[in-house]
Amino acid sequence: MNSTIKRIGVLTSGGDAPGMNAAVRAVVRSAAFFSIECIAVYQGYQGLISNNTKQLNARGVNNIINKGGTVLKSARCLEFRTPEGRKKAFETIQKNNIDGLIVIGGDGSFTGAMIFQSEFNIPVIGIPGTIDNDIYGTTHTIGYDTALNTVIEAIDKIRDTAISHNRLFFVEVMGRDAGHIALNTGIGAGAEEILIPEEDMGLDRLLDSLKRSEKSGKSSSIVVIAEGDKTGKNVFEIAEYIEKNLPYYEVRVSVLGHMQRGGSPSCFDRVLASRMGVHAVESIINGKSNVMVGIDDSKMILTPLSQAIKGKSKINKDLIRVSEILTV
Ligand code: F6P
């Protein structure tokens, strides 16, 4: 390939997600394949500001495809939001002769990448890595599938103890702005009700539904709640409200928290990350910039970063209908 790109930088930014390492490996190896040098930037944009960098060759990413977290480390960097911070970051780009940057992260990371690109005209390509699956321009983000499996495994275990004690469990899952994890794991784990940020179910409807299920003979139940659900109440407040109004249920709360972000990536996430890493490097070599790599119907696609940030990843409303039918 004939390209002006001789050296690229790669970083992971924002919340980590299982499969980020597989993406880093794919970027480094694809660069080696196309005879391009690759500079790893550690700790996201913070490392770009402080020149925390190291050149990696194909062997430098051995044995990381199966690892959770990110070997490059990650950070949410406030300094990069300032023009002074971004100026320092560009000095690192110049010092290391980096011709293009690949950013693995979520929408906050892409916003930073877009501003950086517009200020210094450095080509940037985004790879979506977040367990929340809340990015427009891809049906799946790296880490989402693994997180779904982690949550399902956890709720299955909660179900065992819920049945043994005839208890009603409220399980909080991640998803500050998006209900993908809650909706899919709720159906997959057979939850009674699912509360998400996109639709307001209302506490009274939840109450009626739980009353109905008790009357229909259910002695234990699981309700899955996304952390940013639309009632505006947190899982403890919701549990307290229900316990007060449905005294026959013994209520417990389980917040799954950051365990959802860890663990070895699923096969799906490893393959997705590998494909996205290869496509990102090929795209930057071919002169593309300011775009995010995504997957749609098993094909690799590119979406302008501006759209990926602004567009909303929509929940599948049919899943709500399915869940309602199955809680009969
Ligand atoms: O990775 C996305 C996400 O998991 C959100 O669902 C959650 O609100 C947030 O990250 C929490 O991340 P942190 O504790 O790193 O700020």
Side-chain angles (χ1 to χ4, degrees):
M1 273 189 207
N2 192 11
S3 168
T4 53
I5 304 281
K6 305 280 177 250
R7 217 173 211 222
I8 55 170
V10 59
L11 60 84
T12 52
S13 165
D16 62 341
M20 278 186 164
N21 286 327
V24 170
R25 171 182 179 270
V27 168
V28 173
R29 294 246 168 119
S30 312
F33 181 85
F34 292 116
S35 306
I36 287 172
E37 290 179 336
C38 192
I39 304 292
V41 179
Y42 291 86
Q43 269 193 307
Y45 292 124
Q46 192 53 55
L48 206 54
I49 289 171
S50 60
N51 194 14
N52 188 358
T53 55
K54 183 181 156 193
Q55 188 167 347
L56 285 183
N57 62 25
R59 296 287 72 76
V61 286
N62 284 351
N63 306 319
I64 64 167
I65 192 166
N66 57 330
K67 300 253 182 332
T70 161
V71 293
L72 298 188
K73 313 268 180 174
S74 193
R76 301 189 200 272
C77 177
L78 291 179
E79 200 181 348
F80 194 71
R81 295 190 188 173
T82 66
E84 298 75 35
R86 291 193 294 275
K87 191 166 166 286
K88 283 191 213 158
F90 188 62
E91 282 161 18
T92 297
I93 295 278
Q94 288 177 309
K95 246 183 240 157
N96 290 280
N97 296 316
I98 293 172
D99 305 313
L101 191 61
I102 295 186
V103 173
I104 306 168
D107 53 357
S109 312
F110 295 159
T111 304
M114 220 175 68
I115 298 171
F116 193 53
Q117 191 282 330
S118 72
E119 286 174 346
F120 299 103
N121 201 25
I122 168 106
V124 292
I125 304 274
I127 296 181
T130 163
I131 65 162
D132 290 345
N133 203 36
D134 58 348
I135 307 220
Y136 178 84
T138 187
T139 53
H140 290 79
T141 56
I142 295 169
Y144 172 55
D145 181 67
T146 306
L148 292 181
N149 290 317
T150 301
V151 172
I152 284 282
E153 207 184 315
I155 301 181
D156 284 351
K157 289 177 180 167
I158 289 170
R159 180 180 286 281
D160 289 344
T161 176
I163 296 167
S164 304
H165 289 269
N166 289 340
R167 280 175 174 161
L168 167 62
F169 262 86
F170 289 88
V171 182
E172 186 195 89
V173 300
M174 276 191 170
R176 208 171 12 201
D177 305 306
H180 299 288
I181 294 180
L183 201 47
N184 283 275
T185 60
I187 290 179
E192 200 56 38
E193 289 296 342
I194 305 165
L195 270 58
I196 55 176
E198 291 86 347
E199 299 270 321
D200 193 356
M201 183 193 191
L203 287 186
D204 291 333
R205 242 198 76 197
L206 175 65
L207 193 62
D208 288 345
S209 162
L210 291 171
K211 273 183 192 157
R212 267 199 314 277
S213 54
E214 199 268 342
K215 277 210 187 87
S216 77
K218 292 186 187 173
S219 54
S220 68
S221 282
I222 287 162
V223 176
V224 174
I225 304 184
E227 58 180 336
D229 97 89
K230 204 149 199 163
T231 60
K233 303 233 177 300
N234 70 39
V235 67
F236 293 98
E237 293 166 331
I238 295 172
E240 202 184 314
Y241 176 82
I242 298 295
E243 195 164 33
K244 221 185 270 162
N245 290 282
L246 289 181
Y248 43 80
Y249 269 127
E250 202 183 332
V251 171
R252 290 290 184 274
V253 171
S254 184
V255 177
L256 299 188
H258 287 75
M259 60 107 85
Q260 295 163 89
R261 288 231 298 248
S264 181
S266 66
C267 180
F268 181 91
D269 275 329
R270 296 181 198 193
V271 175
L272 180 68
S274 300
R275 291 184 72 189
M276 285 181 165
V278 170
H279 199 59
V281 172
E282 286 177 335
S283 301
I284 211 163
I285 290 173
N286 287 329
K288 297 280 189 302
S289 176
N290 237 349
V291 288
M292 182 196 80
V293 172
I295 189 166
D296 185 23
D297 199 15
S298 96
K299 274 197 295 290
M300 287 290 116
I301 55 167
L302 294 175
T303 302
L305 283 179
S306 57
Q307 274 181 34
I309 293 158
K310 273 203 219 108
K312 263 251 161 241
S313 77
K314 292 205 176 69
I315 50 153
N316 180 351
K317 293 221 171 163
D318 191 49
L319 294 181
I320 299 179
R321 194 180 67 87
V322 167
S323 165
E324 279 168 3
I325 290 173
L326 297 181
T327 51
V328 65

